[in-house]
Amino acid sequence: MTLSEFKRSLAKSKPPTSLTPALQALWWAGKDKWDQAHDIVMNGSGKDCAWVHAYLHRVEGDLGNARYWYREAEKSAASGPLQGEWEAIARAMLAS
């Protein structure tokens, strides 16, 4: 799936079934459904879920918690626009 296809899928009511848990959470975040996204990453594991988890806490404004999850994901803490980070995460995960 390309980033463009991923973005277009946001028009649907549910994420594509082929997505990993981290991408499902990012999909819900793209629809401004923070709680649904957070539930997925809280129950997920691995660095991808940790990265989305970090992003979600950054969206929430809880930067201390976000820094913890960036460390778990082994990623540098983001500081740019949230939309740019959302796209960077999606692009990286879709490419892997």
Side-chain angles (χ1 to χ4, degrees):
M1 175 178 285
T2 67
L3 180 59
S4 294
E5 291 167 334
F6 184 70
K7 286 180 173 181
R8 280 195 304 273
S9 77
L10 293 171
K12 300 188 182 222
S13 62
K14 293 186 180 181
T17 57
S18 61
L19 298 179
T20 65
L23 278 168
Q24 287 177 23
L26 195 63
W27 188 91
W28 285 111
K31 292 182 71 77
D32 294 323
K33 301 291 186 183
W34 192 95
D35 288 328
Q36 286 161 295
H38 192 254
D39 286 347
I40 292 168
V41 295
M42 278 296 296
N43 294 313
S45 61
K47 292 177 186 171
D48 284 352
C49 280
W51 193 9
V52 175
H53 204 156
Y55 167 78
L56 290 171
H57 282 294
R58 189 166 168 251
V59 167
E60 180 187 35
D62 186 351
L63 300 182
N65 203 353
R67 282 191 295 273
Y68 169 82
W69 288 105
Y70 282 118
R71 285 191 304 273
E72 292 294 305
E74 298 180 3
K75 300 287 183 186
S76 297
S79 60
L82 291 167
Q83 183 60 35
E85 183 181 8
W86 184 92
E87 288 186 12
I89 295 169
R91 190 176 291 111
M93 289 184 186
L94 289 166
S96 63

